[in-house]
Amino acid sequence: MSLPGFSGGGMGDVSDGAGLAIILIIAFFAVLIGLVAIAFNIFVVAPLEVSVQQYFKQAATEDVNMNYLVYSFTKGNYLAIVKGMFWSGLLNFLWFLLLIIPGIMKSYAYSMTPYILADNPGIGMKRAVDLSNQMTRGHKWKMFVLDLSFIGWFILGTIALGIGVLFVLPYYNSTKAELYLVLRMQALHDGLSSSAELNLTYV
């Protein structure tokens, strides 16, 4: 029995409003967490990647120095490296939005960007990406095959509670650093870049 002047939809409206508020709160925090994750990747993870590659690149030339692990975070390097890595990541993301295969190909095309920025953070974000694209031209398939050769090691490392991956990563990063040194030497030989542009005094 309902009271005169009252409808039975009042409680339903309150419940719908509370449900909508909960959905909006969840969506807000989801977006916030996503933005924090993106910012963390741009301002911490990406520069750290350059520092790690700088360490392994220099270690390949027998210049072993743990200070290279904070190379990107030193004055004069940080903002230039952040911009360069952001530009590379943005372009790669846009290619993946287009199609998966072109995105994968461009990920290899831009893969030398961290090493180039490690050589010269001031080279400019567009130039770093363009030079990486030029250096990897004609080598992407070989780079893909090289990565495939590590899949078995990473699978074994994952099976070993993930601990084994910690032993595979240094070997993988060392190999990629050696690859960059080869591509860099070829780029210098072909006139794609110069020792001055890459801050090299020994080439």
Side-chain angles (χ1 to χ4, degrees):
M1 178 175 131
S2 61
L3 295 176
F6 289 88
S7 64
M11 293 301 295
D13 293 341
V14 172
S15 299
D16 291 343
L20 179 60
I22 292 174
I23 292 175
L24 291 176
I25 291 173
I26 293 174
F28 171 78
F29 279 105
V31 171
L32 182 62
I33 292 172
L35 291 176
V36 170
I38 292 173
F40 183 76
N41 184 72
I42 292 173
F43 295 106
V44 179
V45 175
L48 182 60
E49 179 185 352
V50 174
S51 293
V52 170
Q53 306 309 349
Q54 171 71 346
Y55 170 81
F56 282 101
K57 176 172 64 67
Q58 294 301 116
T61 62
E62 299 183 357
D63 179 16
V64 181
N65 189 336
M66 296 299 291
N67 289 330
Y68 286 130
L69 294 177
V70 294
Y71 173 82
S72 297
F73 301 95
T74 56
K75 186 177 181 180
N77 290 344
Y78 181 70
L79 288 179
I81 288 174
V82 166
K83 288 191 294 184
M85 292 298 287
F86 173 77
W87 180 245
S88 173
L90 177 62
L91 290 178
N92 203 21
F93 172 72
L94 293 176
W95 276 103
F96 269 109
L97 286 181
L98 181 62
L99 282 173
I100 297 297
I101 299 301
I104 293 175
M105 292 180 64
K106 285 300 180 180
S107 69
Y108 281 101
Y110 304 150
S111 63
M112 296 297 110
T113 302
Y115 301 93
I116 295 170
L117 291 171
D119 274 337
N120 182 11
I123 194 172
M125 60 182 188
K126 292 184 179 179
R127 174 57 180 157
V129 171
D130 289 342
L131 182 55
S132 176
N133 195 27
Q134 293 171 0
M135 292 172 69
T136 56
R137 189 166 295 146
H139 301 287
K140 296 182 187 66
W141 175 252
K142 293 179 181 178
M143 295 168 67
F144 176 69
V145 172
L146 178 64
D147 282 341
L148 285 180
S149 68
F150 282 92
I151 287 182
W153 291 106
F154 279 114
I155 292 175
L156 287 176
T158 303
I159 292 175
L161 301 178
I163 299 176
V165 174
L166 298 178
F167 295 94
V168 179
L169 281 175
Y171 178 42
Y172 176 76
N173 284 319
S174 296
T175 303
K176 299 290 279 190
E178 292 283 358
L179 170 64
Y180 171 71
L181 294 180
V182 172
L183 294 179
R184 185 179 71 182
M185 184 65 68
Q186 186 65 45
L188 294 173
H189 178 269
D190 294 341
L192 299 177
S193 184
S194 65
S195 57
E197 183 180 46
L198 294 176
N199 281 343
L200 306 178
T201 58
Y202 51 88
V203 177

